[in-house]
Amino acid sequence: MARRDLKNARIILTGASSGIGRELTIQLCRRGASVLATARRLERLQELEHVCHNLPGKIHILAGDLTCEKHRQAIVDETASRFHGLDCLVNNAGAGAIGRFDDATSDRLRKVMEIDFFAPVELTRLCLPLLERGIRPAILNIGSVLSHRAVPNKSEYCAAKFAMRGWAESLRVELARKKIEVLMLSPSTTRSEFLESLVETNADEKSQSLGSMSSERVAQLAISTLVRSKREMIISLGGKALVWAGRLFPRITDRVLGRFA
Ligand SMILES: NC(=O)c1ccc[n+]([C@@H]2O[C@H](COP(=O)([O-])OP(=O)(O)OC[C@H]3O[C@@H](n4cnc5c(N)ncnc54)[C@H](OP(=O)(O)O)[C@@H]3O)[C@@H](O)[C@H]2O)c1
């Protein structure tokens, strides 16, 4: 399949104010894309606008909470009036939570599902008419290794990321008829603000993981996923090992993960 050209591509990118989303916005602007970058923190988006100012692409910023229906509609209205169509939607915004399920309130599950599942799904629904008018349109979902193999103490986050993957798998087949591609990138632990922005998590809760990647590297791999139209990509050796261990030796994997927890 021919490579996707990102020059002049019209892109919506959520979660642009930090981590993977911020790096990805910069790399897309370097390649000449027009990016509508969104997140809640306006001052962070303004700083990003400044950073991208002299790059070949264009950045437009729009601050708001993605779990709010009005903000999702505002993103779509802004895209329609500026771009008149959409070539790529990057569902990147997300937040995690750490801790045992039996210690948590039902609020934590609701909050995690809102930002990691319902928000990207409902934004996608609103974007479909614009994507139908796009050039080689694609939806890129930022999942996680935990979309493929769940671990203890992150039940809400794993559930939301599994849900995203299941929804995307179904959508991929439905949208093939309209020539809208559905792609998924699944990072492992990434150095970002993720662990500082956890939902309803005690300060003493720790995340256990082996190694980590920079947001810049994950953004490079997200670009490669888009350019080469990779359906699903798990991006670290440790992540692949966890997923394959879980498939081939599920009981042993459960026991090992239980010890970590
Ligand atoms: N870091 C990891 O280890 C890791 C591993 C696997 C997958 N991922 C996934 O990678 C994606 C990006 O995460 P990251 O590591 O770059 O974390 P991050 O630095 O915390 O970035 C998360 C982004 O999402 C935005 N966001 C969060 N809640 C929002 C809301 N309610 N409305 C609008 N925007 C919201 C944040 O912006 P505001 O706070 O300004 O709204 C921020 O820009 C997430 O989907 C995450 O699940 C991360």
Side-chain angles (χ1 to χ4, degrees), residues 14-22 38-45 64-68 71 91-96 114-116 119 142-146 157 161 164 185-197 212-213 215 218:
T14 68
S17 62
S18 68
I20 298 167
R22 183 181 184 280
T38 181
R40 287 167 301 183
R41 288 169 291 177
L42 177 62
E43 67 291 354
R44 289 293 196 92
L45 293 175
D65 188 334
L66 204 64
T67 64
C68 168
H71 178 58
N91 285 317
N92 167 72
E114 283 296 340
I115 182 59
D116 290 328
I142 305 300
S144 165
V145 165
L146 305 185
Y157 182 66
K161 290 293 188 184
M164 175 189 246
L185 181 76
S186 295
S188 300
T189 308
T190 306
R191 293 188 291 282
S192 69
E193 294 177 22
F194 192 74
L195 291 177
E196 287 119 69
S197 320
S212 66
M213 230 180 227
S215 289
V218 176

Side-chain angles (χ1 to χ4, degrees), residues 14-254:
T14 68
S17 62
S18 68
I20 298 167
R22 183 181 184 280
E23 289 299 328
L24 187 51
T25 305
I26 295 169
Q27 293 186 28
L28 286 167
C29 285
R30 276 196 198 122
R31 286 178 172 248
S34 292
V35 183
L36 182 81
T38 181
R40 287 167 301 183
R41 288 169 291 177
L42 177 62
E43 67 291 354
R44 289 293 196 92
L45 293 175
Q46 285 167 334
E47 184 267 342
L48 179 61
E49 191 177 32
H50 186 69
V51 170
C52 294
H53 185 65
N54 287 325
L55 298 177
K58 285 195 194 101
I59 178 171
H60 309 282
I61 58 170
L62 189 63
D65 188 334
L66 204 64
T67 64
C68 168
E69 199 181 330
K70 267 195 184 156
H71 178 58
R72 294 193 294 266
Q73 188 60 55
I75 294 172
V76 173
D77 293 345
E78 182 78 7
T79 306
S81 75
R82 276 189 190 277
F83 297 163
H84 313 291
L86 181 64
D87 306 319
C88 185
L89 166 64
V90 184
N91 285 317
N92 167 72
I98 301 179
R100 291 177 61 87
F101 176 74
D102 53 13
D103 288 339
T105 64
S106 58
D107 250 24
R108 187 164 84 184
L109 175 61
R110 296 252 163 220
K111 283 183 182 152
V112 171
M113 289 300 282
E114 283 296 340
I115 182 59
D116 290 328
F117 182 64
F118 291 116
V121 166
E122 293 305 337
L123 178 63
T124 302
R125 192 194 303 279
L126 291 176
C127 286
L128 287 177
L130 287 170
L131 284 163
E132 281 185 50
R133 281 186 258 147
I135 299 166
R136 198 151 164 219
I139 300 160
L140 170 60
N141 296 308
I142 305 300
S144 165
V145 165
L146 305 185
S147 309
H148 300 260
R149 167 69 218 200
V151 297
N153 291 344
K154 294 179 184 166
S155 60
E156 297 93 349
Y157 182 66
C158 292
K161 290 293 188 184
F162 261 67
M164 175 189 246
R165 180 161 161 252
W167 161 76
E169 209 166 88
S170 180
L171 202 68
R172 179 178 294 131
V173 181
E174 287 185 26
L175 295 183
R177 188 168 51 89
K178 295 184 172 173
K179 303 224 175 319
I180 301 172
E181 290 179 81
V182 180
L183 315 171
M184 185 149 179
L185 181 76
S186 295
S188 300
T189 308
T190 306
R191 293 188 291 282
S192 69
E193 294 177 22
F194 192 74
L195 291 177
E196 287 119 69
S197 320
L198 296 168
V199 174
E200 291 190 13
T201 299
N202 297 332
D204 56 350
E205 295 282 7
K206 294 244 173 353
S207 180
Q208 306 272 3
S209 62
L210 303 168
S212 66
M213 230 180 227
S214 69
S215 289
E216 195 181 355
R217 179 69 188 134
V218 176
Q220 282 166 359
L221 293 163
I223 296 267
S224 161
T225 305
L226 270 177
V227 169
R228 294 162 192 258
S229 282
K230 292 183 185 161
R231 281 162 56 102
E232 282 208 2
M233 195 183 176
I234 299 174
I235 62 176
S236 76
L237 267 181
K240 284 179 193 159
L242 173 65
V243 173
W244 279 105
R247 282 181 196 156
L248 297 173
F249 313 108
R251 282 168 198 274
I252 298 174
T253 308
D254 284 354

